[in-house]
Coordinates of all heavy atoms in Angstrom, one line a residue:
S1022 N 0.9 -1.2 0.0 CA 0.0 0.0 -0.1 C 0.9 1.3 0.0 O 0.4 2.4 0.1 CB -0.9 0.0 1.2 OG -0.2 0.1 2.4
R1023 N 2.1 1.1 -0.2 CA 3.1 2.3 -0.1 C 3.2 3.0 -1.5 O 3.6 4.1 -1.6 CB 4.5 1.8 0.4 CG 4.4 1.3 1.8 CD 5.7 0.6 2.1 NE 6.9 1.6 1.9 CZ 8.1 1.1 1.7 NH1 8.4 -0.2 1.7 NH2 9.1 1.9 1.5
S1024 N 2.6 2.2 -2.5 CA 2.6 2.8 -3.8 C 1.3 3.5 -4.2 O 0.2 3.3 -3.5 CB 2.7 1.6 -4.9 OG 2.4 2.1 -6.2
Y1025 N 1.3 4.4 -5.1 CA 0.1 5.1 -5.5 C -0.7 4.2 -6.4 O -1.8 4.6 -6.8 CB 0.4 6.4 -6.3 CG 1.0 7.5 -5.4 CD1 2.3 7.7 -5.4 CD2 0.0 8.3 -4.7 CE1 2.8 8.8 -4.6 CE2 0.6 9.3 -3.9 CZ 1.9 9.5 -3.8 OH 2.3 10.6 -3.1
G1026 N -0.3 3.0 -6.7 CA -1.1 1.9 -7.5 C -0.3 1.3 -8.6 O 0.8 1.4 -8.7
S1027 N -1.1 0.9 -9.6 CA -0.5 0.1 -10.7 C -0.7 0.9 -12.0 O -0.2 0.4 -13.0 CB -1.3 -1.2 -10.8 OG -1.0 -2.0 -9.6
D1028 N -1.3 2.1 -12.0 CA -1.3 2.9 -13.2 C -0.1 3.8 -13.2 O -0.1 4.8 -12.4 CB -2.6 3.7 -13.2 CG -2.8 4.6 -14.4 OD1 -1.9 5.5 -14.6 OD2 -3.8 4.5 -15.1
K1029 N 0.8 3.5 -14.2 CA 2.0 4.2 -14.2 C 1.9 5.8 -14.2 O 2.6 6.5 -13.5 CB 2.8 3.8 -15.4 CG 4.1 4.5 -15.6 CD 4.9 4.1 -16.9 CE 6.1 4.8 -17.2 NZ 6.8 4.4 -18.4
E1030 N 1.0 6.3 -15.1 CA 0.8 7.7 -15.3 C 0.2 8.4 -14.0 O 0.7 9.4 -13.6 CB -0.1 8.0 -16.4 CG 0.6 7.6 -17.8 CD 1.9 8.1 -18.1 OE1 2.2 9.3 -17.7 OE2 2.8 7.3 -18.5
Q1031 N -0.6 7.6 -13.3 CA -1.2 8.2 -12.1 C -0.1 8.3 -11.0 O 0.0 9.2 -10.2 CB -2.4 7.4 -11.6 CG -2.9 7.9 -10.3 CD -4.1 7.2 -9.8 OE1 -4.7 6.3 -10.4 NE2 -4.6 7.5 -8.6
V1032 N 0.7 7.1 -10.9 CA 1.8 7.1 -10.0 C 2.8 8.2 -10.1 O 3.1 8.9 -9.2 CB 2.5 5.7 -10.0 CG1 3.8 5.8 -9.2 CG2 1.7 4.6 -9.6
I1033 N 3.2 8.5 -11.4 CA 4.1 9.6 -11.6 C 3.5 10.9 -11.3 O 4.2 11.7 -10.7 CB 4.6 9.6 -13.2 CG1 5.4 8.3 -13.4 CG2 5.4 10.8 -13.5 CD1 5.6 7.9 -14.9
A1034 N 2.3 11.1 -11.7 CA 1.6 12.4 -11.4 C 1.5 12.7 -9.9 O 1.8 13.8 -9.4 CB 0.2 12.5 -12.1
L1035 N 0.9 11.7 -9.1 CA 0.7 12.0 -7.8 C 2.1 12.0 -7.0 O 2.2 12.8 -6.1 CB -0.1 10.8 -7.2 CG -1.5 11.0 -7.7 CD1 -2.4 9.7 -7.2 CD2 -2.3 12.2 -7.1
A1036 N 3.1 11.2 -7.4 CA 4.4 11.3 -6.7 C 5.0 12.6 -7.1 O 5.6 13.2 -6.1 CB 5.2 10.1 -7.3
N1037 N 4.9 13.1 -8.2 CA 5.4 14.4 -8.5 C 4.7 15.5 -7.8 O 5.5 16.5 -7.3 CB 5.4 14.6 -10.1 CG 6.4 15.7 -10.6 OD1 7.4 15.9 -9.9 ND2 6.0 16.4 -11.6
R1038 N 3.5 15.4 -7.7 CA 2.7 16.4 -6.9 C 3.2 16.4 -5.5 O 3.4 17.4 -4.8 CB 1.2 16.2 -7.0 CG 0.3 17.1 -6.3 CD 0.4 18.5 -6.9 NE -0.6 19.4 -6.3 CZ -1.2 20.3 -6.9 NH1 -1.0 20.5 -8.1 NH2 -2.0 21.0 -6.2
F1039 N 3.3 15.2 -4.8 CA 3.8 15.0 -3.5 C 5.1 15.7 -3.4 O 5.4 16.5 -2.4 CB 3.9 13.6 -3.2 CG 4.3 13.3 -1.7 CD1 3.3 12.9 -0.9 CD2 5.5 13.3 -1.2 CE1 3.6 12.6 0.5 CE2 5.8 13.1 0.0 CZ 4.9 12.7 1.0
I1040 N 6.1 15.5 -4.3 CA 7.3 16.1 -4.3 C 7.3 17.6 -4.3 O 7.9 18.3 -3.5 CB 8.2 15.5 -5.5 CG1 8.6 14.0 -5.2 CG2 9.5 16.4 -5.6 CD1 9.0 13.3 -6.5
Q1041 N 6.5 18.2 -5.2 CA 6.5 19.5 -5.4 C 6.0 20.2 -4.1 O 6.6 21.2 -3.6 CB 5.7 19.9 -6.6 CG 6.2 19.5 -7.9 CD 7.7 19.9 -8.1 OE1 8.0 21.1 -7.9 NE2 8.5 19.0 -8.5
K1042 N 4.9 19.7 -3.6 CA 4.3 20.3 -2.4 C 5.2 20.1 -1.1 O 5.3 21.0 -0.3 CB 2.8 19.8 -2.1 CG 1.9 20.1 -3.2 CD 1.7 21.7 -3.2 CE 0.7 22.1 -4.2 NZ 0.6 23.5 -4.3
T1043 N 5.9 19.0 -1.0 CA 6.7 18.8 0.0 C 7.9 19.8 0.1 O 8.2 20.5 1.0 CB 7.4 17.3 0.0 OG1 6.3 16.4 0.1 CG2 8.4 17.1 1.1
Q1044 N 8.5 20.0 -1.1 CA 9.6 20.8 -1.3 C 9.1 22.3 -1.2 O 9.9 23.2 -0.7 CB 10.4 20.6 -2.6 CG 11.1 19.2 -2.5 CD 11.8 18.7 -3.7 OE1 12.6 17.7 -3.6 NE2 11.8 19.4 -4.8
D1045 N 8.0 22.7 -1.8 CA 7.4 24.0 -1.5 C 7.2 24.3 -0.1 O 7.3 25.5 0.3 CB 6.1 24.1 -2.3 CG 6.2 24.2 -3.8 OD1 7.4 24.3 -4.3 OD2 5.2 24.1 -4.5
G1046 N 7.0 23.3 0.7 CA 6.8 23.4 2.1 C 8.0 23.5 2.9 O 8.0 23.5 4.2
G1047 N 9.2 23.4 2.3 CA 10.5 23.6 3.0 C 11.1 22.2 3.5 O 12.0 22.2 4.2
I1048 N 10.6 21.1 3.0 CA 11.2 19.8 3.4 C 11.6 19.1 2.1 O 11.1 19.2 1.0 CB 10.0 18.9 3.9 CG1 9.3 19.4 5.1 CG2 10.6 17.5 4.1 CD1 10.1 19.4 6.4
I1049 N 12.8 18.5 2.2 CA 13.5 17.8 1.0 C 12.7 16.5 0.8 O 12.5 15.8 1.7 CB 14.9 17.5 1.3 CG1 15.7 18.8 1.5 CG2 15.5 16.7 0.2 CD1 17.1 18.5 2.1
A1050 N 12.3 16.3 -0.4 CA 11.6 15.1 -0.7 C 12.6 14.1 -1.4 O 13.6 14.5 -2.0 CB 10.4 15.4 -1.8
T1051 N 12.2 12.8 -1.3 CA 13.1 11.8 -1.9 C 12.2 10.8 -2.7 O 11.3 10.1 -2.1 CB 13.9 11.0 -0.9 OG1 14.6 11.9 -0.1 CG2 14.7 9.9 -1.4
A1052 N 12.4 10.7 -4.0 CA 11.8 9.6 -4.8 C 12.5 8.3 -4.6 O 13.7 8.4 -4.6 CB 11.7 10.1 -6.2
K1053 N 11.7 7.3 -4.5 CA 12.3 6.0 -4.3 C 11.4 4.9 -4.9 O 10.2 5.2 -5.2 CB 12.5 5.7 -2.9 CG 11.2 5.7 -2.0 CD 11.6 5.6 -0.5 CE 10.4 5.5 0.3 NZ 10.6 5.4 1.7
H1054 N 11.9 3.7 -5.3 CA 13.2 3.2 -5.1 C 13.9 2.9 -6.4 O 13.5 2.0 -7.1 CB 13.0 1.8 -4.4 CG 12.3 1.9 -3.2 ND1 11.0 1.8 -3.0 CD2 12.8 2.0 -1.8 CE1 10.6 1.9 -1.7 NE2 11.7 2.1 -0.9
F1055 N 14.7 3.8 -6.9 CA 15.5 3.8 -8.2 C 16.4 2.5 -8.3 O 17.1 2.2 -7.2 CB 16.3 5.0 -8.3 CG 16.9 5.1 -9.7 CD1 16.2 5.7 -10.7 CD2 18.3 4.7 -9.8 CE1 16.9 5.8 -12.0 CE2 18.8 4.7 -11.1 CZ 18.0 5.2 -12.2
P1056 N 16.4 1.8 -9.3 CA 15.7 2.0 -10.6 C 14.3 1.5 -10.8 O 13.7 1.3 -11.8 CB 16.6 1.3 -11.5 CG 17.1 0.2 -10.8 CD 17.2 0.6 -9.4

């Protein structure tokens, strides 16, 4: 349940939104788990 789901485009869009709002709020965000 730690993923945004199985739809690649939705996962990317929601993760990117999370990152932007986290960083706009003064906290460093980390995307994971590369690759």
